[in-house]
Amino acid sequence: MFQLGVSTRDRILDTAERLFAEQGFHVATLRQITQEAGVNLAAVNYHFGSKQALMRAIFKRRLDALNAARMKQLDIALQTDPPELEEVLDAFVQPALAFTRGGDAEGQRFMQLLLRAFADRDTDLHQAMRQEYAHVMRRFADAISHALPDADPERLRQQLDFIVGALTLTMAESALKDTRIIAGELVRFAAAGLRAPVTEETARAVRFPLEARS
Amino acid sequence: MFQLGVSTRDRILDTAERLFAEQGFHVATLRQITQEAGVNLAAVNYHFGSKQALMRAIFKRRLDALNAARMKQLDIALQTDPPELEEVLDAFVQPALAFTRGGDAEGQRFMQLLLRAFADRDTDLHQAMRQEYAHVMRRFADAISHALPDADPERLRQQLDFIVGALTLTMAESALKDTRIIAGELVRFAAAGLRAPVTEETARAVRFPLEARS
DNA sequence: GTATCATTGAAACACTTGTTTGAATCAGGT
DNA sequence: ACCTGATTCAAACAAGTGTTTCAATGATAC
């Protein structure tokens, strides 16, 4: 029950990740974390320095893994030139689910954590996440531009944020068993959105967004 | 500076909304709120009962207004039968920006608050928000189904969540001046995504989502 | 003017928080 | 065996939290 054989440091990491995702950073207390992990209260400050530093360690561990998995799958997609749009999007979406393959809810837990980080603007965690993300996002934006050479790269980059929002919120929200199907749907949905040209109607909507058109 | 002439209750409501959005529910303290609002500390518990109840009051005020605005604009779109898909999506997206028209950042602040509520699963606030939303979401899902009679209603409902995620995250994240343009882009993006049929390629992606396709 | 109610004010309350301390325990090397 | 450094432990610390209390003040009606 107390994950015998695993180091104190890892027990804290796993338990804190779960409780931070479930309850949020400021609601989950060190006493609750250490008690459920079966370690002493002071162990957190000994191994990590502070509660904040613990959070950063948790975040870095998963985000590095997620980004590496995305990069790796993107490289495969980029072996064809120009790359297939769906394969590029797959490389972005699917690794977010890869963690769930083990059977437990780790992947979804991290998406919940990611969603909290997005919500926490003006925190160093938010800044750190955006910076960690910047690399990957730029590479994916470039790949999408190559797949859709006729589209404006700046607009494509903007629309990548739509995909991030849709992915993060639905993955954090949905039941575990549905995530795989939803990911496939999202790729199809996003690919069509990215391919859609700017029509006269939608251009007018951009210019006069609040006009009631009866 | 202290919004002279406005009632104590409203001063608390406005200040707390701002601080909750900026810092989060558990980080913003009643002492900070009451001090910045220029009211006594005990005023919160007198007028609202508790910090939680204050949060609910804040949320209800804006969400009711947002939902009402969406419903009203949806009714206009539904005057044509079948409704135009872009008009239905406009009715969903545009009211989220309507608050920003006054010049201040109220609209974006509320989207940040909404994002926090999404991240806070397993809280009564999250439950309350989902319930308040359920009505509106069902009506919009029905309207979209009417606009796209050939598509599976259940799948359309699923994809409405994509739009919610994209809208909430980008609106909370983006600079204020960009929100109007982004909203127009989102309508175009989402309309194309909803209209896209399920191809053999994407169907395969749904069946074998983690397969590396080189 | 006075009684009645709602509202404000300063202070205290009970409790929890993250962090620190210093002794006890453990492991590995010589 | 003995030393050394890393790790664990129980206890305390200082600070901050939401909430409550009760007297002071304000407004309103009779």
Side-chain angles (χ1 to χ4, degrees):
Chain A
M1 172 164 185
F2 279 163
Q3 311 173 40
L4 297 174
V6 184
S7 74
T8 297
R9 197 189 142 89
D10 285 343
R11 280 213 294 269
I12 295 173
L13 231 36
D14 290 340
T15 309
E17 180 181 61
R18 177 169 56 83
L19 293 176
F20 283 159
E22 286 175 4
Q23 310 181 1
F25 176 73
H26 290 94
V27 177
T29 70
L30 290 184
R31 281 170 178 80
Q32 183 187 9
I33 292 168
T34 52
Q35 186 176 337
E36 293 201 18
V39 304
N40 189 270
L41 170 62
V44 169
N45 285 279
Y46 177 76
H47 285 283
F48 297 94
S50 69
K51 189 185 181 184
Q52 276 275 355
L54 167 62
M55 181 56 156
R56 277 195 291 267
I58 290 170
F59 222 81
K60 181 168 174 47
R61 177 174 69 157
R62 297 274 181 225
L63 197 54
D64 284 354
L66 177 62
N67 281 342
R70 278 175 167 162
M71 291 291 206
K72 186 179 169 189
Q73 200 165 339
L74 179 60
D75 285 336
I76 296 176
L78 287 176
Q79 282 173 1
T80 61
D81 186 44
E84 191 73 29
L85 178 59
E86 273 80 2
E87 291 194 18
V88 174
L89 294 178
D90 250 18
F92 187 78
V93 171
Q94 297 296 351
L97 287 94
F99 298 132
T100 71
R101 263 311 176 72
D104 57 354
E106 280 188 12
Q108 191 176 31
R109 277 213 306 262
F110 181 65
M111 291 312 260
Q112 291 172 18
L113 215 57
L114 214 60
L115 189 57
R116 289 187 187 278
F118 271 115
D120 267 334
R121 283 168 60 101
D122 307 331
T123 65
D124 50 343
L125 184 67
H126 183 95
Q127 305 283 339
M129 179 197 63
R130 297 293 284 185
Q131 281 183 2
E132 285 275 330
Y133 246 128
H135 276 138
V136 187
M137 295 296 277
R138 204 173 311 121
R139 279 208 60 197
F140 271 93
D142 290 345
I144 292 174
S145 287
H146 276 107
L148 299 174
D150 293 335
D152 174 30
E154 175 56 30
R155 275 189 47 249
L156 290 179
R157 206 152 58 85
Q158 226 176 45
Q159 291 170 50
L160 189 50
D161 282 338
F162 295 159
I163 303 174
V164 172
L167 174 67
T168 307
L169 195 130
T170 53
M171 286 294 134
E173 192 89 8
S174 307
L176 256 184
K177 61 179 178 60
D178 299 332
T179 50
R180 238 185 295 173
I181 294 170
I182 292 175
E185 285 283 331
L186 178 56
V187 169
R188 185 197 53 78
F189 183 90
L194 290 169
R195 285 203 178 98
V198 178
T199 65
E200 174 54 29
E201 169 67 16
T202 57
R204 200 164 71 87
V206 172
R207 284 200 303 276
F208 311 110
L210 290 178
E211 202 178 49
R213 287 176 278 141
S214 61
Chain B
M1 175 162 185
F2 279 162
Q3 310 172 39
L4 297 174
V6 184
S7 73
T8 296
R9 195 188 144 91
D10 285 343
R11 279 212 296 266
I12 294 174
L13 230 38
D14 290 339
T15 308
E17 179 181 60
R18 177 169 56 83
L19 293 176
F20 283 159
E22 285 175 4
Q23 312 182 1
F25 177 72
H26 290 95
V27 178
T29 69
L30 290 184
R31 281 170 178 80
Q32 183 187 9
I33 292 168
T34 52
Q35 187 176 338
E36 294 201 18
V39 304
N40 189 268
L41 170 62
V44 169
N45 284 279
Y46 176 77
H47 284 283
F48 298 95
S50 69
K51 190 185 181 184
Q52 275 275 357
L54 168 62
M55 181 56 155
R56 277 195 291 270
I58 290 171
F59 222 82
K60 182 167 173 48
R61 176 174 68 157
R62 297 275 182 225
L63 198 53
D64 283 355
L66 177 62
N67 281 341
R70 278 175 167 161
M71 291 292 207
K72 186 179 168 187
Q73 200 165 339
L74 179 60
D75 284 336
I76 297 176
L78 287 176
Q79 281 173 3
T80 61
D81 186 43
E84 192 71 28
L85 178 59
E86 274 80 2
E87 290 193 19
V88 173
L89 294 178
D90 250 18
F92 188 77
V93 171
Q94 297 297 350
L97 287 94
F99 298 133
T100 72
R101 263 314 179 67
D104 59 352
E106 280 187 13
Q108 191 175 31
R109 276 213 308 263
F110 181 65
M111 290 312 260
Q112 292 173 19
L113 216 58
L114 214 59
L115 189 57
R116 288 187 187 280
F118 271 116
D120 267 335
R121 282 168 58 101
D122 307 330
T123 64
D124 50 343
L125 184 67
H126 183 95
Q127 305 282 342
M129 179 197 63
R130 297 293 283 184
Q131 281 182 3
E132 283 275 329
Y133 245 129
H135 275 137
V136 186
M137 295 296 276
R138 203 172 312 122
R139 278 209 60 195
F140 272 93
D142 289 346
I144 292 174
S145 287
H146 276 107
L148 300 175
D150 293 335
D152 175 28
E154 175 57 29
R155 276 188 46 249
L156 290 179
R157 207 151 58 87
Q158 227 175 42
Q159 292 170 50
L160 188 50
D161 282 338
F162 296 159
I163 304 174
V164 173
L167 173 67
T168 308
L169 195 130
T170 54
M171 287 293 134
E173 193 90 6
S174 308
L176 255 183
K177 62 179 176 59
D178 298 333
T179 49
R180 237 185 297 174
I181 295 170
I182 291 175
E185 285 285 329
L186 179 57
V187 168
R188 185 197 53 78
F189 184 90
L194 290 169
R195 284 203 179 97
V198 178
T199 66
E200 174 53 29
E201 169 66 17
T202 58
R204 201 164 70 87
V206 173
R207 283 202 303 276
F208 311 110
L210 291 177
E211 202 177 48
R213 287 174 278 143
S214 61

